[in-house]
């Protein structure tokens, strides 16, 4: 960071009087959060991505030939509002134009009835053309365009459906890729094999978005990660497959299609959908239509209901969510409410009671391909996703349940906690870390295949998830000297510290998120506050505090050529993470923590919450980001209550895992 940037980020003095009424702020936030609790005890906040998912929902309906004018008018209003001043659509609020998101948003607006000559559409067209045109879209966008005949199928790298027939030792096998890639890809393989064309009832085409007509484009772009030897090898292989695919034996192709359909049907997941994520659900709906499955078939009815369940419909606009996050929202809200104490403790207990029966105890999901002898015992992110529980949610739920039983003395969570611990430890990867959904999902060469231009085909261990598991084990009473799993996880974390002093955050922006996660884990594991890794992390957090007392970080930390922290405006959620991290490191009395708490107190609104338009959640680094609407509702409350509790404590030591 330049000296000027450092000077701009030196914390300014904030009067102590700002935090004098901390109890009032905590009570207001806790009451507001409890007001959001559903009747059955759970919390569920909107999960918003970029323009891509709402646009894809419109494109799905037009592929099927079933436009819905009412909902599409509201999605159109959302897309027009989120168009940036540069004319296009970004990956996150206030960001630069992203060609793929902009192309899909433009197509969707054309489908809902916006004229190509409308001022906002001309502005979007000019911005897209200035960025190279629609030919510079990513693979998933070009695939969506191919389904409407807007680009030829050779614009899409070949992914032969015969992959479904591959033996487990084959270099590309569906269980070698992440769960989200697997569930998205399998129904998509059917579509790519059959190459259908959507109904497109309004006959929309977009030649105006291409610098060179798509039928004349010979070289389609690669992802920034597809370089070096592997990129060259897989690029050459794709050229061979492009020429050979039309001659693949029809019998083997049908066998592979049958296997793909069987895979999907076994994981339909009721009204929560395949993988409980939008791309997999939408591909499933299109797959069934292309295969001629009747609309009244139970599988089709469920698949359609799952997609519509993702809609967030407001008074004047609507958007489609990439997934639903009730387990994550409920577990984190429970932590914040337990920290707030008083009447909020009962609300947390109601949330945990709702979570308890959602534990997956009788389904061995896809994770069992790597760990067949491990008993299930995790929680998923969504309402239901039995084949794909995740380690992060599970660890957070366990820590909340453990806090609740410590408070009440009730043993009702004992069996749930024990089964979850067993499952989590069983999914530790060989390098000592934990990933989100699988163990040892580390076939890195697969990120170089032409189809994987997003660079997110895998689910390797990460510092933030590993930290959550180490925190869980420590809170349950384990110590490195007697817990091999915890010792290996701790060693992994210490080895992953970034030269700047922080830790990479895979699932939240970015080094602040990762550093919060790891400092909580190191404290829980018994690493003293004066240990060198802790001191380096504290020094880094102090160095990046903004002049307003808060903390902020944008997506630049995910750049492949990342050189160091880039200043960004403060947000409530990131300020809460930084403050909680510093308190875990023993710095509750540090002036920087007081300034962070003062920032949160001063930025709280009358409704008890905090405004936060910036995205602070991560789907795929550099490609797909998330705005968790619950983050500014429970994380700041958590930080304020933690600060008050420690200030009233004699030890000044955080005694829980996070």
């Amino acid at each position: 960071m330049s000296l000027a940037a450092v000077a701009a980020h030196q914390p300014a003095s904030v009067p102590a009087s700002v935090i004098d009424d901390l109890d009032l702020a905590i009570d207001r936030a806790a009451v507001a959060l409890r007001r959001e609790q559903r009747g059955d005890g759970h919390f569920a906040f909107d999960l918003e991505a970029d323009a891509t998912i709402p646009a894809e929902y419109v494109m799905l309906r037009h592929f099927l030939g079933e436009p819905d004018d009412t909902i599409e008018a509201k999605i159109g209003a959302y897309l027009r509002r989120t168009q940036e001043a540069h004319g296009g659509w970004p990956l996150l609020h206030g960001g630069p134009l992203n060609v793929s998101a902009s192309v899909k948003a433009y197509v969707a607006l054309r489908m809902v009835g916006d004229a190509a000559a409308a001022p906002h559409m001309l502005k979007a067209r000019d911005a897209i053309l200035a960025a190279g045109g629609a030919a510079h879209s990513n693979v998933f966008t070009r695939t969506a365009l191919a389904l409407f005949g807007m680009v030829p199928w050779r614009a899409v790298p070949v992914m032969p459906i015969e992959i479904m027939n591959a033996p487990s030792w084959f270099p590309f096998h569906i269980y070698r890729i992440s769960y989200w890639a697997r569930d998205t890809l399998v129904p998509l393989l059917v579509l790519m094999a059959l190459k259908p064309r959507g109904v497109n009832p309004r006959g929309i085409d977009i030649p105006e978005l291409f610098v060179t007509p798509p039928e004349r484009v010979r070289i389609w772009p690669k992802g920034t990660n597809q370089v070096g030897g592997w990129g060259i090898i897989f690029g050459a292989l794709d050229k061979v497959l492009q020429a050979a695919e039309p001659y693949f034996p029809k019998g083997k192709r049908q066998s592979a299609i049958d296997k793909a359909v069987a895979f999907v049907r076994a994981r339909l997941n009721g009204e929560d959908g395949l993988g409980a994520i939008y791309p997999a659900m939408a591909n499933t709906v299109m797959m069934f239509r292309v295969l001629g499955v009747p609309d009244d078939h139970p599988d089709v009815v469920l698949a359609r209901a799952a997609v519509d369940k993702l809609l967030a419909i407001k008074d004047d606009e609507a958007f489609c969510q990439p997934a639903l996050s009730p387990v994550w929202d409920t577990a984190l809200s429970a932590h914040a409410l337990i920290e707030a104490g008083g009447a909020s403790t009962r609300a947390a207990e109601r949330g945990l009671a709702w979570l308890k029966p959602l534990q997956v105890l009788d389904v061995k999901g896809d994770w069992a391909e790597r760990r067949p002898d491990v008993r299930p015992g995790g929680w998923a992110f969504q309402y239901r996703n039995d084949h794909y529980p995740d380690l992060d949610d599970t660890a957070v739920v366990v820590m909340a349940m453990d806090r609740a039983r410590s408070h009440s003395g009730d043993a009702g969570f004992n069996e749930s906690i024990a089964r979850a611990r067993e499952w989590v430890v069983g999914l530790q990867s060989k390098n000592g870390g934990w990933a989100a959904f699988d163990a040892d999902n580390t076939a890195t060469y697969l990120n170089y295949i032409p189809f994987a231009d997003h660079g997110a085909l895998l689910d390797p261990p990460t510092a933030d998830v590993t930290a959550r598991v180490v925190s869980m084990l420590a809170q349950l009473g384990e110590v490195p000297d007697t817990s091999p799993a915890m010792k290996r996880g701790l060693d992994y974390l210490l080895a992953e510290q970034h030269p700047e002093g922080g830790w990479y955050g895979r699932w939240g922006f970015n080094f602040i998120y990762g550093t919060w996660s790891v400092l909580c884990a190191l404290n829980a594991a018994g690493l003293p506050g004066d240990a060198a890794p802790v001191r380096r992390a504290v020094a880094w957090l102090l160095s990046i505090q903004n002049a307003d007392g808060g903390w902020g970080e944008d997506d630049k930390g995910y750049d492949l050529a990342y050189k160091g922290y880039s200043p960004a405006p403060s947000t409530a959620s990131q300020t809460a993470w930084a403050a909680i991290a510093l308190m875990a490191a023993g710095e509750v009395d540090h002036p920087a923590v007081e300034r962070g708490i003062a920032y949160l107190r001063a930025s709280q609104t009358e409704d008890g919450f905090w405004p936060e338009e910036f995205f602070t959640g991560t789907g795929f680094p550099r490609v797909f980001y998330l705005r968790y609407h619950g983050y500014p509702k429970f994380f700041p409350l958590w930080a304020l209550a933690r600060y008050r509790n420690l200030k009233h404590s004699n030890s000044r030591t955080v005694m829980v895992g996070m």
Side-chain angles (χ1 to χ4, degrees), residues 29 32-33 36 45 603-611 632-634:
L33 183 57
E36 297 286 326
F45 301 107
S603 57
Q604 186 180 26
T605 55
E606 286 299 317
D607 65 359
F609 293 137
W610 285 261
K633 293 179 169 64
F634 45 70

Side-chain angles (χ1 to χ4, degrees), residues 136-218:
H136 285 259
S137 300
N138 62 23
V139 166
F140 282 112
T141 300
R142 300 202 304 267
T143 304
L145 298 180
L147 288 169
F148 287 92
M150 296 175 185
V151 299
W153 276 100
R154 60 181 173 76
V156 181
V158 174
M159 287 291 283
I161 195 166
E162 285 76 10
I163 291 167
M164 297 301 301
N165 289 325
S168 59
W169 53 261
F170 194 68
F172 190 101
H173 190 275
I174 60 170
Y175 290 108
R176 290 184 185 269
I177 60 178
S178 63
Y179 118 73
W180 58 83
R182 186 183 315 137
D183 279 13
T184 299
L185 179 61
V186 171
L188 183 59
L189 289 174
V190 177
L191 298 175
M192 295 174 77
L194 300 178
K195 296 178 174 54
R197 180 171 294 198
V199 176
N200 195 6
R202 291 173 182 155
I204 300 301
D205 198 5
I206 53 166
E208 66 272 19
L209 295 188
F210 289 88
V211 175
T212 300
E215 64 274 9
R216 290 168 49 193
V217 174
R218 291 293 173 264

Side-chain angles (χ1 to χ4, degrees), residues 421-508:
R421 183 213 169 271
E422 178 184 338
W423 179 72
V424 166
V425 170
L427 263 71
Q428 188 172 25
S429 289
K430 293 175 182 176
N431 65 2
W434 278 270
F437 299 92
D438 282 306
D440 297 317
N441 192 258
T442 54
T444 54
Y445 61 87
L446 291 175
N447 273 334
Y448 294 95
I449 67 173
F451 184 80
D453 64 347
H454 59 316
L457 211 59
L458 305 174
D459 179 23
T462 61
D464 44 356
V465 178
T466 301
R468 213 83 70 216
V469 174
V470 170
S471 288
M472 181 199 80
L473 296 175
Q475 186 174 310
L476 295 180
E478 299 187 29
V479 294
D481 289 346
T482 57
S483 172
M486 185 177 176
K487 175 65 166 60
R488 293 174 60 225
L490 197 58
D491 289 345
Y492 170 87
L493 291 177
L494 295 176
E496 288 290 306
Q497 189 170 23
H498 192 268
E500 283 188 290
W503 280 267
Y504 183 86
R506 164 62 179 83
W507 296 99

Side-chain angles (χ1 to χ4, degrees), residues 55-409:
E56 286 180 3
Y57 178 83
V58 172
M59 295 173 74
L60 170 64
R61 296 205 67 108
H62 286 248
F63 178 90
L64 301 172
E66 301 172 8
D68 182 328
D69 291 342
T70 301
I71 190 64
E72 289 176 22
K74 290 191 172 189
I75 292 176
Y78 172 85
L79 292 174
R80 292 181 208 103
R81 179 178 63 79
T82 55
Q83 185 178 15
E84 294 285 347
H86 50 58
W89 284 262
L91 293 181
L92 65 171
H93 176 76
L97 174 141
N98 178 267
V99 174
S100 297
S102 298
V103 168
K104 284 183 177 176
Y106 182 96
V107 170
L109 286 174
R110 289 289 314 280
M111 287 179 169
V112 305
D114 288 18
H120 67 288
M121 299 296 279
L122 290 173
K123 190 174 183 179
R125 182 201 67 188
D126 291 344
I128 292 168
L129 291 174
H136 285 259
S137 300
N138 62 23
V139 166
F140 282 112
T141 300
R142 300 202 304 267
T143 304
L145 298 180
L147 288 169
F148 287 92
M150 296 175 185
V151 299
W153 276 100
R154 60 181 173 76
V156 181
V158 174
M159 287 291 283
I161 195 166
E162 285 76 10
I163 291 167
M164 297 301 301
N165 289 325
S168 59
W169 53 261
F170 194 68
F172 190 101
H173 190 275
I174 60 170
Y175 290 108
R176 290 184 185 269
I177 60 178
S178 63
Y179 118 73
W180 58 83
R182 186 183 315 137
D183 279 13
T184 299
L185 179 61
V186 171
L188 183 59
L189 289 174
V190 177
L191 298 175
M192 295 174 77
L194 300 178
K195 296 178 174 54
R197 180 171 294 198
V199 176
N200 195 6
R202 291 173 182 155
I204 300 301
D205 198 5
I206 53 166
E208 66 272 19
L209 295 188
F210 289 88
V211 175
T212 300
E215 64 274 9
R216 290 168 49 193
V217 174
R218 291 293 173 264
I219 300 176
W220 298 86
K222 297 180 180 179
T224 56
N225 59 298
Q226 294 168 327
V227 296
W230 280 117
I232 295 172
I233 292 170
F234 284 123
L237 178 61
D238 182 64
K239 291 181 180 178
V240 172
L241 290 172
Q242 291 275 8
E245 188 188 25
Y247 304 102
F248 287 178
K250 289 184 171 55
K252 290 186 177 180
R253 172 143 291 201
Q254 186 58 50
S255 168
I257 290 174
D258 293 343
K259 284 185 179 180
V261 174
F263 176 95
V264 170
R265 282 194 154 125
R267 294 162 178 78
L268 270 182
N269 194 33
E271 288 192 2
D272 292 288
L274 177 64
I277 51 175
Y278 175 84
M281 297 183 204
N283 289 344
T284 297
V285 170
M286 289 187 285
M287 180 193 78
F288 282 142
R289 173 61 63 89
V290 170
L291 292 174
V293 181
D295 286 348
D296 60 355
H297 189 285
D299 289 349
V300 176
V301 172
L302 282 175
R304 293 290 298 271
V307 171
D308 288 338
K309 191 174 178 179
L310 295 176
L311 291 171
I313 302 174
K314 314 300 179 183
D315 291 340
D316 300 317
E317 60 182 39
F319 62 91
C320 187
Q321 301 172 90
L324 302 177
S325 56
V327 171
W328 188 239
D329 291 337
T330 302
L332 291 170
S333 293
H335 278 278
L337 291 168
I338 291 171
E339 198 73 42
S344 296
T345 303
R346 177 56 189 148
E349 291 171 347
R350 289 181 58 226
L352 295 173
W354 178 83
L355 285 169
K356 183 179 177 180
L358 297 186
Q359 187 175 22
V360 182
L361 298 172
D362 55 357
V363 176
K364 281 200 170 186
D366 286 6
W367 54 265
E369 290 291 320
R370 292 275 184 179
R371 296 290 187 270
D373 297 327
V374 176
R375 289 199 301 172
W379 277 267
F381 178 78
Q382 303 92 344
Y383 284 102
R384 182 184 173 194
N385 199 8
D386 288 357
H387 280 82
Y388 307 105
D390 74 272
L391 284 300
D392 208 357
D393 277 271
T394 300
V396 172
V397 171
V398 166
M399 285 187 277
M401 287 182 167
D402 179 66
R403 292 188 71 178
R405 73 175 176 181
S406 297
H407 177 268
S408 67

